[in-house]
């Protein structure tokens, strides 16, 4: 892998939050192909928002349309908050002292401005997608690259057609690299995001079952994820999980460089060996690169995080980060909130993994629960969403995984999770209790957990299982 020469990071860890870099009204018009209805073409743009309530003095307001709302109804409110500029896809009368740019479609204009902005202040971009582990991989790659560079990364779940452009606008003058997460639920969505961001390096973590309802099959998911390479040439690099049967097929691609990582597949470019599961304290493994052996420690639970670390090693090497710094970056990595976060409450250990769920991520979380020593192991699981016709079987099969990983008690909430409970009973687990809603289970959770228990709490984001964690804390 060829290292890329970038300006080393010489900035303090705590940085002052700056406004976006300079854009003018004239550049907005150039980016969007819009027409100036009123205002000064030389006026600078201080910040961009799609929420009128968050408009600040000098801000550009971009009114977006949804199924049940139209941001154009709040242009006046944004101006009252201090916004100096607004786009509009509606006919509008001039507003004294304000700038309005007419565009055909405000959502397209948001993407156009982000593309223009990123091109103007060009920095290397790492794009990350996959069915499971995108956010954790993004955070780990950020921790590695931030050892040597000043890195912008996606915050939270800002990984869609609105969130990614808003992330791009956070690019500060001091930053010389961007790590951008790219989510999708249908064909064409990753293509749209890479058309904006044009990543130089892309990472695909795996091909699972997430969004299979819209994409029809894992083959369809694979095709949709591969859209991340739609603008790749021989100068670009795709980094993939070589233990994944779909992603392994892209090795040796003629159009761009492919780097593989894995645990089971010893033919990968970067392979984890001597893997040790340290339970709730994390994991440890060894890699051999360029004739040298290195021990890598991950401070967060779950052997599956080794895949994320391997991806971070590949990206770090691609950008010339020395292995010693890569190892330090992985050791300093911290999980995003509600992703296998470990906390204590009243003698109970809570493994809070409420951010989202899929069959693969629940299997991984159950393995974490199974690796922990405790008086009792309690799994609190809810519906996995967007599985369509696959939902019943996917939930039922996970019931067997609950029993296989040594869970003592299973609690479920949700219609589909009832099939998970049935699967667990059929596999031989006796202590299984089901509720129809998250709220009902949250009200009763104190009946089932006690000091000395380790409790895994996990479901799709729409189930709001953080309510259960809150009840345990009380």
């Amino acid at each position: 892998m060829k290292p890329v020469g970038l300006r080393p990071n010489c900035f303090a860890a705590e940085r002052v939050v700056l406004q976006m870099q300079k854009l003018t009204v004239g550049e907005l018009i150039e980016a969007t192909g819009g027409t100036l209805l009123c205002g000064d073409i030389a006026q600078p743009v201080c910040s961009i928002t799609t929420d009128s309530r968050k408009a600040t003095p000098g801000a550009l307001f971009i009114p977006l349309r949804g199924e049940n709302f139209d941001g154009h109804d709040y242009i006046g409110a944004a101006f009252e908050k201090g916004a100096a500029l607004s786009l509009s896809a509606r006919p509008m009368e001039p507003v004294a002292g304000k700038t309005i740019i007419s565009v055909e479609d405000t959502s397209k204009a948001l993407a156009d401005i982000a593309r223009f902005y990123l091109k103007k202040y060009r920095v290397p971009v790492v794009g990350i997608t996959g069915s499971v582990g995108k956010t954790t991989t993004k955070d780990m790659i950020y921790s590695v690259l931030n050892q040597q560079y000043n890195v912008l990364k996606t915050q939270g779940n800002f990984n869609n057609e609105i969130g990614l452009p808003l992330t791009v606008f956070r690019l500060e003058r001091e930053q010389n690299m961007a790590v951008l997460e790219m989510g999708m639920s249908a064909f064409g969505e990753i293509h749209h995001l890479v058309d904006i961001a044009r990543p130089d390096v892309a990472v695909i973590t795996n091909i699972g079952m997430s969004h299979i309802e819209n994409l029809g099959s894992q083959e369809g998911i694979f095709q949709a994820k591969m859209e991340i390479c739609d603008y790749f040439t021989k100068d670009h690099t795709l980094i993939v999980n070589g233990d994944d049967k779909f992603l392994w097929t892209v090795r040796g691609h003629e159009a761009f460089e492919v780097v593989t990582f894995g645990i089971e597949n010893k033919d990968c470019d970067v392979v984890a060996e001597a893997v040790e599961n340290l339970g709730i304290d994390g994991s440890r493994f060894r890699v051999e690169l360029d004739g040298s052996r290195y021990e890598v420690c991950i401070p967060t639970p779950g052997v599956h995080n080794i895949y994320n670390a391997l991806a971070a090693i590949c990206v770090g090497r691609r950008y010339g980060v020395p292995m010693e710094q890569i190892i330090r970056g992985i050791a300093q990595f911290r999980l995003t909130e509600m992703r296998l976060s470990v906390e204590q409450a009243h003698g109970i250990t809570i493994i809070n993994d409420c951010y989202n769920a899929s069959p693969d991520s629940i299997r991984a979380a159950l393995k974490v629960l199974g690796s922990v020593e405790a008086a009792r192991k309690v799994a609190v699981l809810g519906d996995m969403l967007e599985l369509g016709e696959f939902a019943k079987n996917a939930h039922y099969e996970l019931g067997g995984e609950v029993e296989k990983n040594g869970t003592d008690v299973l609690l479920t909430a949700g219609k589909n999770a009832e099939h998970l409970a049935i699967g667990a009973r059929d596999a031989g687990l006796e202590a299984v209790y089901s509720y129809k809603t998250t709220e009902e289970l949250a009200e009763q959770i104190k009946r089932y957990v006690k000091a000395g228990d380790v409790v895994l709490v996990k479901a799709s984001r729409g189930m709001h299982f953080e309510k259960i964690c809150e009840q345990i804390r009380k």
Side-chain angles (χ1 to χ4, degrees), residues 4 124 287 330 372 432:
V4 175
V287 291
I330 293 172
V372 176
V432 180

Side-chain angles (χ1 to χ4, degrees), residues 48 86 102 147 181 183 210 236 240 265 374 382 387 432 453 457:
I48 293 179
S86 179
S102 174
Q147 299 296 311
E181 181 180 332
S210 300
H236 294 81
V240 298
N265 185 349
L387 292 177
V432 180
D453 289 350
V457 185

Side-chain angles (χ1 to χ4, degrees), residues 246-297:
F246 294 99
L247 295 174
W248 181 243
T249 65
V250 304
R251 69 193 187 284
H253 201 288
E254 295 180 357
F256 47 81
E257 179 186 24
V258 177
V259 176
T260 58
F261 60 86
I263 301 173
E264 304 297 332
N265 185 349
K266 304 306 180 184
D267 291 328
C268 289
D269 298 303
V270 180
V271 179
E273 299 177 332
V275 170
E276 293 183 62
N277 186 347
L278 305 178
I280 210 163
D281 295 321
S283 58
R284 180 165 50 220
F285 65 97
R286 188 178 67 234
V287 291
E288 186 170 340
L289 298 166
D290 305 323
S292 298
R293 287 185 174 183
Y294 302 93
E295 185 176 276
V296 183
C297 295

Side-chain angles (χ1 to χ4, degrees), residues 186-209:
F187 290 112
E189 293 181 353
I190 294 289
H191 175 85
H192 175 67
L193 298 179
V194 297
D195 184 36
I196 297 170
R198 300 298 176 100
D200 305 280
V201 172
V203 176
I204 305 180
T205 60
N206 48 51
I207 305 299
M209 297 279 286

